[in-house]
Amino acid sequence: SVISIWRPPNNMPIAWVSLPFSHLFQCLDVDNVLKVWTALALERQVLVTSTQLSLLTTCCEILLSLLFPMKWAHAYIPVLPHFLVPILSAPMPFLCGIEKRYLSDTMADLADECIVVDLDKNQVSLGVKTPPLPTLPKYVYNRLRSNVETNAGHVYREARSLRKDDDTSEMGVHLPAEVKFIADSMWESRLSLFDEAFML
């Protein structure tokens, strides 16, 4: 048998998609983007949720493009209709998006190993029986994280009017209370504009 491996051209390091990658990096910080990327590369069950329908499709498409040259070969429904929620109990990998108002109804159908990604809150929640996500070798992870942080880390902070030296780890719990309040308010005001742009 033959195993073929190919890589993208030097001038096109990832699959080109005509979508604003900044949307994903406004919603999730670098550590959470890498965590979701790892889960998808390991073919886990991933459910993405947001109050903004336009963000679901955009962010899911961008996450899949980041897998390049690998390709997602499992169930993919970026905006899952409410009446199809029971399919989330199927024992297979999936990447699905669901409107946040339906999330509480959905929880009963989710497997214990499903990973829930909240785009509005920059939160990635592992299920109670989610197998641990293996880590990359430390030097590889540190180099990858450093490159992503250098090129896209500022997007998350700018969306919340935070400075480069503000500690945004652990959902901003280390920020001074007034800074966190302003950052959360800035993000909430920006968040509401996504669907308004599409008149949803």
Side-chain angles (χ1 to χ4, degrees):
S1 64
V2 176
I3 298 175
S4 298
I5 299 175
W6 62 289
R7 68 173 180 84
N10 290 328
N11 62 346
M12 191 188 300
I14 60 174
W16 186 84
V17 291
S18 181
L19 291 169
F21 276 61
S22 61
H23 287 184
L24 176 66
F25 288 95
Q26 285 176 359
C27 296
L28 300 177
D29 61 23
V30 169
D31 290 317
N32 279 337
V33 170
L34 293 178
K35 192 180 291 184
V36 178
W37 177 83
T38 302
L40 291 172
L42 294 170
E43 301 179 317
R44 301 290 174 86
Q45 295 181 344
V46 178
L47 180 68
V48 181
T49 186
S50 175
T51 55
Q52 307 296 300
L53 285 174
S54 59
L55 274 180
L56 291 176
T57 299
T58 302
C59 290
C60 286
E61 283 291 323
I62 292 167
L63 284 166
L64 291 186
S65 76
L66 292 176
L67 290 174
F68 187 81
M70 297 179 289
K71 195 170 184 179
W72 185 254
H74 305 286
Y76 171 53
I77 309 173
V79 182
L80 184 71
H82 187 247
F83 70 89
L84 288 179
V85 161
I87 72 165
L88 297 176
S89 59
M92 62 182 183
F94 60 73
L95 173 60
C96 293
I98 193 160
E99 197 174 355
K100 201 165 191 179
R101 64 179 165 154
Y102 299 132
L103 183 61
S104 58
D105 298 337
T106 304
M107 298 308 285
D109 290 293
L110 289 182
D112 289 338
E113 63 268 14
C114 184
I115 298 166
V116 179
V117 181
D118 189 333
L119 296 175
D120 299 351
K121 300 291 185 188
N122 179 37
Q123 190 170 14
V124 178
S125 305
L126 304 183
V128 292
K129 292 186 180 176
T130 302
L133 299 176
T135 56
L136 292 168
K138 196 168 185 177
Y139 75 95
V140 174
Y141 179 82
N142 288 342
R143 184 174 173 198
L144 174 63
R145 191 195 181 288
S146 175
N147 285 336
V148 177
E149 177 66 40
T150 299
N151 291 289
H154 64 282
V155 176
Y156 177 83
R157 290 188 295 274
E158 287 174 1
R160 291 157 180 79
S161 296
L162 292 169
R163 296 170 302 179
K164 187 174 183 177
D165 56 346
D166 286 328
D167 185 357
T168 60
S169 63
E170 300 178 29
M171 296 175 59
V173 296
H174 305 294
L175 292 170
E178 65 277 5
V179 173
K180 186 173 186 330
F181 176 77
I182 293 170
D184 289 345
S185 299
M186 287 293 296
W187 173 238
E188 285 173 18
S189 64
R190 285 176 185 261
L191 186 64
S192 64
L193 299 177
F194 284 100
D195 277 359
E196 283 185 17
F198 292 96
M199 294 184 287
L200 294 174

